[in-house]
Amino acid sequence: MPILINQYSFIIVSIASLILVGIFIWRIFNPALAISAIFVAMLILSVVFISLRRDEATLSSLEDFNLALESGPLLIDFYSDY
């Protein structure tokens, strides 16, 4: 079975980790600590997700793209944050 990594991998792994850590802390410690730990983990994961996203495209118009094509060899990288 091949392991598929796509644009949703970070979100899926984050949610699964939050659920597992939440259940573990809920059973070992008290529920208030579990809720606090999940909240802190969600905050950390959100900051990581936002900081790892790419900025806006470097070529914002069709004219800029055509100029880049005419300037020589070009590497085109299609990327989606979602």
Side-chain angles (χ1 to χ4, degrees), residues 4-78:
L4 300 176
I5 298 175
N6 62 13
Q7 65 268 28
Y8 300 111
S9 297
F10 181 79
I11 296 170
I12 293 169
V13 169
S14 298
I15 291 172
S17 299
L18 285 173
I19 291 170
L20 291 174
V21 168
I23 290 171
F24 176 74
I25 293 177
W26 190 284
R27 289 180 183 247
I28 301 298
F29 301 105
N30 60 8
L33 183 62
I35 293 171
S36 299
I38 289 173
F39 179 72
V40 169
M42 284 176 53
L43 183 65
I44 292 170
L45 290 171
S46 298
V47 168
V48 168
F49 180 74
I50 290 170
S51 66
L52 291 178
R53 289 186 349 184
R54 287 194 173 190
D55 294 333
E56 293 296 320
T58 55
L59 300 176
S60 57
S61 69
L62 185 58
E63 292 81 21
D64 292 339
F65 181 71
N66 287 331
L67 286 173
L69 282 176
E70 294 170 358
S71 68
L74 179 68
L75 174 66
I76 300 175
D77 181 24
F78 294 102

